[in-house]
């Protein structure tokens, strides 16, 4: 099993450009999450999904949109990138249930100039 | 609001010595606590969790954590550190809410450096 994969691994954008980050998991997990990691701030939840066709806002959702059209995929979109969105983005997935640990992808390093 | 604090940005320890990475929590209700490790340029890996029961939780790679309700702490420990344990460690707490999902609030991380 590949686990959780993310594409691309690196990306540089100019302010105002748009892009989509793709997350895929092959563990048949119900729940999926998008986080951003910034120095000294830990991980912060952007959006999450508890099943195919459902999404919800996390802690820092502004400037991002998500879609979960297929159970195994969770897309994170930036419609108009800003320098404040320079970060490392992690996708994670977990089984349904409140006690289950999350499995993380390798991350995408995004720089917005 | 649920939160965790990791009071040390960095912990240095000699190989073979015991290590402790500290975490304190603030939650309403029962705490569900997790430890994750992040190696350079990698995603987070799950180490262990406390849900209920025994206060000493054993996890991956020889790590364990001690839950202390009176001190609201969940410190990560290992009896004998290895150089390969050098990494960034995150404590996290589940945020209870309605609607499903398993939202976690993470601490700011502690960099562990194990030296020969």
């Amino acid at each position: 099993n590949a686990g959780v994969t993310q594409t691309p691994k690196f990306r540089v954008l100019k302010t105002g450009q748009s892009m989509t980050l793709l997350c895929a998991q092959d563990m048949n997990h119900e729940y999926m999450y998008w986080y951003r990691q910034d120095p000294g701030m830990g991980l912060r939840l952007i959006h999450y999904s508890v099943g195919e066709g459902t999404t919800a806002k996390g802690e820092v959702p502004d400037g991002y949109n998500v879609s979960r059209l297929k159970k195994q995929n969770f897309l994170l979109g930036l419609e108009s990138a800003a320098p404040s969105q320079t970060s490392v983005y992690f996708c994670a997935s977990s089984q349904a249930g409140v006690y289950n640990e999350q499995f993380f992808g390798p991350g995408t390093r995004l720089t917005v100039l | 609001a649920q939160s965790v604090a990791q009071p040390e940005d960095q912990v240095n320890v000699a190989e073979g010595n015991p290590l402790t990475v500290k975490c304190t929590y603030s939650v309403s209700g029962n705490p569900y606590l997790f430890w994750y490790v992040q190696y350079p340029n990698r995603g987070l890996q799950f180490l262990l969790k406390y849900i209920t029961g025994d206060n000493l939780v054993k996890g991956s790679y020889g790590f364990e954590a001690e839950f202390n309700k009176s001190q609201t702490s969940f410190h990560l420990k290992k009896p004998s550190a290895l150089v390969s344990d050098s990494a960034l460690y995150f404590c996290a707490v589940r945020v209870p809410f309605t609607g499903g999902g398993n939202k976690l609030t993470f601490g700011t991380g502690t960099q562990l450096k194990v030296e020969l």
Side-chain angles (χ1 to χ4, degrees):
Chain A
N1 288 349
V4 180
T5 58
Q6 294 181 233
T7 50
K9 288 184 170 52
F10 304 94
R11 186 71 186 268
V12 178
L13 290 178
K14 295 181 179 178
T15 297
Q17 287 184 319
S18 63
M19 77 163 295
T20 300
L21 307 183
L22 172 63
C23 175
Q25 53 96 2
D26 62 2
M27 296 174 282
N28 202 34
H29 286 168
E30 285 295 327
Y31 300 166
M32 296 187 74
Y33 315 81
W34 275 107
Y35 293 91
R36 60 177 288 172
Q37 183 180 28
D38 301 292
M41 301 189 71
L43 276 75
R44 293 180 292 169
L45 182 65
I46 304 171
H47 285 281
Y48 65 98
S49 168
V50 298
E52 182 178 316
T54 72
T55 63
K57 294 180 180 180
E59 185 184 355
V60 288
D62 294 342
Y64 305 95
N65 57 76
V66 288
S67 64
R68 183 116 181 255
L69 299 179
K70 294 182 179 181
K71 184 177 183 178
Q72 63 267 34
N73 295 338
F74 195 29
L75 278 63
L76 177 71
L78 286 73
E79 292 183 346
S80 179
S84 61
Q85 294 177 305
T86 294
S87 188
V88 181
Y89 292 85
F90 289 99
C91 177
S93 69
S94 72
Q95 293 179 342
V98 301
Y99 308 132
N100 294 308
E101 61 271 23
Q102 296 178 17
F103 293 79
F104 284 79
T108 294
R109 186 173 295 275
L110 175 66
T111 301
V112 183
L113 302 175
Chain B
Q2 270 58 224
S3 66
V4 291
Q6 295 182 241
E8 300 159 317
D9 290 336
Q10 181 160 321
V11 170
N12 296 322
V13 64
E15 187 175 52
N17 283 0
L19 70 87
T20 298
V21 182
K22 296 179 180 178
C23 173
T24 58
Y25 65 88
S26 174
V27 302
S28 55
N30 294 323
Y32 303 126
L33 298 157
F34 300 78
W35 274 104
Y36 287 83
V37 60
Q38 184 180 30
Y39 297 100
N41 301 314
R42 303 285 296 274
L44 278 69
Q45 296 179 29
F46 169 75
L47 280 179
L48 50 81
K49 64 184 176 184
Y50 174 83
I51 303 300
T52 187
D54 195 349
N55 289 342
L56 186 63
V57 179
K58 294 190 181 298
S60 305
Y61 313 122
F63 284 92
E64 57 190 26
E66 186 172 9
F67 173 71
N68 188 317
K69 189 173 183 178
S70 63
Q71 297 185 5
T72 62
S73 66
F74 188 54
H75 299 334
L76 182 69
K77 301 182 178 185
K78 188 174 183 182
S80 179
L82 298 172
V83 172
S84 57
D85 293 330
S86 298
L88 185 59
Y89 290 80
F90 289 98
C91 182
V93 63
R94 182 184 181 269
V95 179
F97 69 106
T98 58
N102 193 13
K103 293 166 67 175
L104 297 177
T105 293
F106 285 84
T108 53
T110 298
Q111 185 70 48
L112 174 67
K113 187 173 182 181
V114 182
E115 298 169 312
L116 291 170

